[in-house]
Amino acid sequence: MEYPSKVLAKAVDEISGLPGIGKKSALRLALHLLKQPESQAIALGDSLKKLVTDIKYCRECHNFSDSEVCDICANPKRTEELLCVVEDVRDVMAIENTGKFRGKYLVLGGKISPMEGIGPNKLNISSIEKKLETGIVKELIFALSATMEGDTTAYYIYKKFKSSTVRFSTIARGISVGDELEYADEISLGRSIQNRLPYSEGS
Amino acid sequence: MEYPSKVLAKAVDEISGLPGIGKKSALRLALHLLKQPESQAIALGDSLKKLVTDIKYCRECHNFSDSEVCDICANPKRTEELLCVVEDVRDVMAIENTGKFRGKYLVLGGKISPMEGIGPNKLNISSIEKKLETGIVKELIFALSATMEGDTTAYYIYKKFKSSTVRFSTIARGISVGDELEYADEISLGRSIQNRLPYSEGS
Ligand SMILES: [Zn+2]
Ligand SMILES: [Zn+2]
């Protein structure tokens, strides 16, 4: 497809680099932006750039943050005795949205997936170790997807730290087996984390 | 939904301002960008800004262009005797892609649609008038969508200029009635423009 303008071609090319957006949709989005006031595309462009240049990762939990330590980790009203292990930031947001959890998080940054070449070394597992070494954490809660990768990840972490004094639990599977955590509805997810179960090798 | 970071929240907000992209998809896209090298989001952001600040409209045909006059209008090998009237730039691209048209275009910038509040005054119809006044245009070809709005637009232009010496034609309806032009396949579209028919009030 020949584009009538190089700036249009470049924009379409960049937009269609996003997952799930083909050339046709990208062109449609570009033409949409051209019909709006200029300020909209400028604000969008600036915020995408700021997103990657200004975002920080909380040094405690690896959640995204605007400062060194995120609001959750910095909140003294939240107990450090409960550490909830999740895959990514969307899971933190989903659990926070239920309003049922008063502990802290540890964002793994993914799950073990041999298919996608993600081994334990790519995840923030050493940060769990550091947290456990302090002796403050009483309970480690797995809030991982009810998929094979989620189970494998929980099992790996459990095996690695089972000799520590921490208690392991896993959120109740109110969500169907095979479901991704982030798609669970708020009420089921809130109930799951309140009714969490002790984690054991067979669970 | 509470976002862990203001820059993330802002980016999600801006992305979800695009048509067809909800908050969940916007978050997914933002997280995708955060997993890629920083340069990708920066290039995307820059090209969106450049798109709206640097793009020009060809003063002859209203197509997008990088200069005052677009490559098609500036091409002396293309005859000015044939003027193809289209709704928007995607239609120019679709027809150019067939390689079957050697004339010039006139991009209306939409079609008459009382439902969407688009009247003839919002379209580049005065530019057709200017082209016809030169006396060079021999044939005005309607390449509009086979929809009611497309038909209304063609009829309006025909009525306005039927007293001029220009011949009216319309691309052959190889495409089914009700189809948008831009979705037509290349071969049908190429054939339609070659086998175009004289335009008359009943066509
Ligand atoms: Zn944190
Ligand atoms: Zn032009």
Side-chain angles (χ1 to χ4, degrees):
Chain A
M1 198 59 111
E2 280 254 351
Y3 293 88
S5 138
K6 287 194 191 70
V7 287
L8 179 62
K10 179 97 173 80
V12 170
D13 203 52
E14 296 288 348
I15 298 170
S16 64
L18 293 171
I21 301 183
K23 289 269 177 193
K24 276 218 159 169
S25 310
L27 178 58
R28 197 175 293 272
L29 292 174
L31 295 180
H32 169 83
L33 285 173
L34 283 165
K35 281 187 183 170
Q36 307 306 308
E38 219 173 273
S39 57
Q40 190 183 335
I42 292 173
L44 173 58
D46 277 334
S47 70
L48 293 179
K49 292 170 72 178
K50 270 179 90 79
L51 174 66
V52 296
T53 54
D54 291 10
I55 210 159
K56 293 187 184 68
Y57 294 85
C58 171
R59 66 160 188 241
E60 291 293 319
C61 73
H62 304 285
N63 194 2
F64 294 118
S65 174
D66 292 319
S67 46
E68 290 279 291
V69 176
C70 77
D71 289 350
I72 297 172
C73 289
N75 184 347
K77 285 187 186 148
R78 300 187 69 130
T79 177
E80 298 198 38
E81 296 186 354
L82 303 175
L83 186 66
C84 182
V85 176
V86 296
E87 285 160 31
D88 77 16
V89 58
R90 283 173 292 188
D91 304 324
V92 174
M93 288 169 63
I95 295 171
E96 283 300 289
N97 211 33
T98 71
K100 301 291 186 191
F101 183 62
R102 55 184 190 87
K104 308 249 160 139
Y105 294 94
L106 197 297
V107 179
L108 287 175
K111 51 196 162 188
I112 297 172
S113 170
M115 296 279 286
E116 294 173 46
I118 304 172
N121 59 319
K122 293 216 176 153
L123 307 178
N124 297 318
I125 292 176
S126 62
S127 299
I128 299 181
E129 194 158 14
K130 247 183 273 170
K131 291 271 185 196
L132 296 187
E133 277 168 0
T134 64
I136 299 171
V137 181
K138 295 271 190 295
E139 183 178 349
L140 192 149
I141 305 161
F142 293 117
L144 301 171
S145 294
T147 59
M148 206 171 67
E149 286 93 346
D151 288 346
T152 304
T153 307
Y155 186 65
Y156 178 90
I157 296 169
Y158 169 73
K159 288 280 267 187
K160 192 169 169 77
F161 302 115
K162 72 173 172 178
S163 62
S164 84
T165 56
V166 79
R167 200 163 65 244
F168 292 89
S169 64
T170 181
I171 58 169
R173 294 285 162 88
I175 52 176
S176 339
V177 174
D179 270 9
E180 294 280 342
L181 192 70
E182 55 164 318
Y183 296 118
D185 70 283
E186 193 175 312
I187 294 164
S188 311
L189 189 57
R191 202 172 290 148
S192 302
I193 197 146
Q194 283 188 307
N195 303 340
R196 60 191 178 270
L197 307 166
Y199 183 84
S200 65
E201 294 192 32
S203 70
Chain B
M1 196 60 110
E2 280 256 350
Y3 294 88
S5 138
K6 285 193 192 71
V7 287
L8 180 61
K10 179 99 173 80
V12 169
D13 204 50
E14 295 288 349
I15 299 170
S16 64
L18 293 170
I21 301 184
K23 289 270 176 192
K24 275 218 159 170
S25 310
L27 179 58
R28 199 176 293 273
L29 291 174
L31 296 179
H32 168 84
L33 285 173
L34 284 165
K35 281 188 182 169
Q36 308 305 308
E38 220 173 273
S39 57
Q40 190 183 334
I42 292 172
L44 173 59
D46 278 333
S47 68
L48 293 179
K49 291 170 72 178
K50 269 179 92 78
L51 174 66
V52 295
T53 53
D54 291 10
I55 210 158
K56 293 187 184 67
Y57 294 85
C58 171
R59 65 159 188 241
E60 292 293 319
C61 73
H62 304 286
N63 194 1
F64 294 119
S65 174
D66 293 319
S67 46
E68 289 279 290
V69 177
C70 78
D71 290 349
I72 296 172
C73 290
N75 185 346
K77 287 187 185 148
R78 301 187 68 132
T79 177
E80 297 198 40
E81 296 186 354
L82 302 174
L83 185 66
C84 183
V85 176
V86 297
E87 285 160 32
D88 77 17
V89 57
R90 283 173 293 189
D91 304 324
V92 174
M93 288 170 62
I95 295 171
E96 284 300 287
N97 211 33
T98 71
K100 302 291 186 192
F101 183 62
R102 56 185 189 85
K104 307 250 158 139
Y105 294 94
L106 198 297
V107 179
L108 287 175
K111 52 197 164 188
I112 297 172
S113 171
M115 296 280 285
E116 295 172 48
I118 303 172
N121 59 319
K122 294 215 176 154
L123 307 178
N124 297 317
I125 291 176
S126 61
S127 299
I128 300 182
E129 194 158 14
K130 247 183 272 167
K131 291 271 185 196
L132 297 187
E133 277 168 0
T134 64
I136 300 171
V137 179
K138 295 269 190 294
E139 182 178 348
L140 193 150
I141 305 161
F142 292 117
L144 301 171
S145 294
T147 59
M148 206 172 67
E149 287 94 346
D151 288 347
T152 304
T153 308
Y155 186 65
Y156 178 89
I157 296 169
Y158 169 72
K159 288 279 269 186
K160 194 170 171 78
F161 303 114
K162 72 175 174 179
S163 61
S164 82
T165 57
V166 79
R167 200 163 62 243
F168 292 88
S169 64
T170 181
I171 56 169
R173 292 286 163 87
I175 50 173
S176 338
V177 173
D179 271 7
E180 294 279 342
L181 193 72
E182 55 164 319
Y183 296 120
D185 70 283
E186 192 175 313
I187 294 164
S188 312
L189 189 57
R191 203 174 289 149
S192 303
I193 197 146
Q194 282 187 309
N195 303 339
R196 59 191 179 271
L197 307 167
Y199 182 83
S200 67
E201 295 192 32
S203 72

